[in-house]
Amino acid sequence: MFKSLRSKWISLLVVLLSLLMLLTGYATLKSMRAHSLQQAELSLGVASKVFQQALDNRAAQLTNSVSLLAADFGFRQAIATAEQATIESVLQNHGSRINAQLSLLLNPQGELLASSNSLNQADISQLLPATLGSTAVTDILLINGRAYQLVVVPVRAPVIIAWVGMGFLVDVPLAEQIKGITGLDISFTQLNDRTGQQVTSTLPLTAQQKLLSNLEQILSSPNTTHFVGEFSYISRGKPLDSDKRLWALLHMPDDRWLTSYQQLRSQLVEIFVFGLLLALAAAFMFARSISKPLSQLSHFARAIGQGNAAVPPPVSQDEIGVLTSTLVNMQHSIAARELQLRQQAEHDALTGLSNRHAVEQRLPAILATQRGTLLQLNIIQFKHINDTLGLANGDSLLQLLAQRLKHHQPVAAMCARLSGDEFLMLFNESLTEPQLVDLYNSLQPAYNIQNSLINLKIAIGIYPFEPGRVSTSEALRRVDLAQENATAAGGGIAFYQHGQDETHQRELTIIRDLPDALISGQLYVMYQPKVELASEQCHSAEALIRWQHPQLGFISPVEFIATAEHSGNISLITQWMLQTVIKQLAAWQRDFPTLRVAVNLSAADLLDQSLPGQIEAMLAQYQVPASALALEVTESAVMQDTSKVIANLNTLKSMAISLAIDDFGTGQSSLAYLKQLPVNEIKIDRAFVKDIETNTNDALIVNATVKLAHGLGLKVTAEGLENQAGLRFLQASGCDTVQGYFFSKPLATADFRQWLINFAAATKPTAEVTE
């Protein structure tokens, strides 16, 4: 049915028009339904306010009535003289006069003196808070399993000598009265631990039974409109007391807002059917007008595809005529283009050498059957050459280098350009050292670019291979590793060394296993104390991450953090570290409320503008003050994007988080940046501290750094303290805090806690003497 173009055109037009009408109808119905629901919710909201106003008016009337009784002289005299019979008679008569179902009298301490019902002190315990004030109180309370709207008024002579109260049942008559005002059905619900849910309602009995089965859902969200499928009312619950044991429910029947919606839906269905019939007629006429010439053109195109000679259809003056002419021209170009495509698929357009695709196609067969040597060449700092000379001259330089590679003797079995400035040479023999040196030397003479001589630094990686030993990907990886070593050495020749592949695999293993290690408990945190020299107390520490891998064993933080930074996974470590440290700080808050723990941040973390918000959320989650957290950054990290980093640091400092520059003196930042950084502390790198007692230069650097930092209003921490002599020198230089193995190595969580206790006990007498 759908093989012909005509049927496809008709189907397409009908489908598009049907979809358009369906979407239009859906949007219209959705809008109408939303409007109807909104009107229903608005009606319920208004009714809720009217309901509350009715209760308030009733409470005001009742308050006035009870106030008249409280102001009656005879009643006050009866209370003052403790005439019990007179009191009970007045309560009974006044309660009957105002139709109160409950009358009671309390002494100023809230104890029951008289009541029209059988009550005990436990029944009126809810009224005790009311007797602590001095004005009339109105509330709805549950007494003896029944809900009362209760008014309690003080009796003064002139001080408060008693409290008189009148209660009015919250029942069906009240619901009917409010229904007459709002036009909505009203239900009163009591939640009782002993009797369960009790409902008093103006709803029909069947509706009340359905209400009970859906009551929990409605009461879960007060003052919210609920639409319950099997309950043909939309409802809104309103708690009547502070304990949410008494509720008022307002109900609106579904048919009030569904009628107009259902009428509009019927009309839209009729419009859709009529429009679909029109679409069928229009689609048939349109498809017929264009399918015939296209059918003729398709036969001509099929013949061209089969390589047969064919007479083209008549050329018209419309788009189909243009298509016919194009097909004729295309037939003449196919052969030439096929040849050109084969050439481009396997050769680099700039240099004329083979490309990576050709290497990957031809290399497997060579590696499987022959012995030979792979060479990968790279131009060191070629990007700098491009930036200096321009892209056009850079391309000319690559072409000149390619010519030297092609004409070198012995001639390479394959010479290819792998990427921008990387070339590959394949020799079907093992090259001797003189041959390799000769190749390297042949590339050293200057290259003439627009009468300017350019010298290149070339790095060559070499991988000799035996037949059937390695795959294509392994061979290319190994020669690439050798070339990277040559590049790292500043140029020259480097052979692939056994074990380099294992190092590469180790890095891949670390990258692969890091996400699982974060959630499986392989990573853990150690804490190294930081001791304040002036007070000889410890109120801070640095958190240090460790990794015990199940196969690789202990992995140095230097190794896996560097690998994570290079692979873009450092944020995973940072998030885990912050989460773990802040959670631990929360556990330590009771025993060590002044403890502050520092976490190291990387350059990538400092450039993340969402970091302050993430830290603030973690602190709030574990209820840890921001002052308990410190962050340490390196000078090199700050230099990545100074303005963005400083903005992030300012945000963190405004949160009362302490900031420190780690490894100070080993980075690249200048004093101009130091004065701009919103930090509280600098940490002198251990390279200047570990030999400070014997190295004069280190001593001078530390002294100068301490004076500089104090002049800028910063505190100074010295890392790497290992002996008593170094401690005495740091004390004399005015250093604020020290950190190192002299006081403690990094400790596990439990050990660090015990160390804090022991250290505080050991230094307490000294601190008391100082005071």
Side-chain angles (χ1 to χ4, degrees), residues 333-345:
S333 304
I334 288 178
R337 291 190 178 183
E338 286 181 349
L339 180 61
Q340 182 182 6
L341 287 174
R342 281 195 297 270
Q343 177 72 13
Q344 292 177 346

Side-chain angles (χ1 to χ4, degrees), residues 30-47:
K30 185 176 181 181
S31 177
M32 286 296 298
R33 181 181 176 85
H35 179 72
S36 299
L37 291 177
Q38 185 179 11
Q39 291 299 316
E41 290 189 31
L42 183 61
S43 298
L44 277 177
V46 172

Side-chain angles (χ1 to χ4, degrees), residues 67-78 90 155:
S67 296
L68 291 175
L69 175 61
D72 184 77
F73 176 78
F75 182 61
R76 287 185 293 173
Q77 185 176 16
V90 171
V155 180

Side-chain angles (χ1 to χ4, degrees), residues 12 41 65 118 121 388 410 515 528 535 581 584 608 610 637 658 734:
L12 177 63
E41 290 189 31
S65 299
S118 297
Q121 187 64 34
T388 304
Q528 186 170 34
S535 62
V581 170
Q584 186 58 56
D608 184 3
S610 65
S658 179

Side-chain angles (χ1 to χ4, degrees), residues 574-575 578 601 605-606 608-616 652:
T574 302
Q575 291 294 319
L578 287 169
L601 297 182
D605 298 323
L606 292 176
D608 184 3
Q609 295 180 332
S610 65
L611 179 67
Q614 295 170 358
I615 294 176
E616 186 175 21
L652 291 168

Side-chain angles (χ1 to χ4, degrees), residues 5 124 154 279 291 663 765:
L5 182 62
I124 63 167
S291 61
D663 302 334

Side-chain angles (χ1 to χ4, degrees), residues 371-406:
R371 170 187 293 110
T373 307
L374 275 177
L375 280 70
Q376 183 169 308
L377 301 88
N378 173 256
I379 303 174
I380 298 177
Q381 294 184 342
F382 181 69
K383 183 180 183 302
H384 177 69
I385 296 174
N386 260 341
D387 294 340
T388 304
L389 302 181
L391 295 178
N393 288 328
D395 289 345
S396 299
L397 192 58
L398 292 174
Q399 291 170 336
L400 292 176
L401 177 61
Q403 291 299 317
R404 293 193 188 185
L405 296 177
K406 284 193 293 186

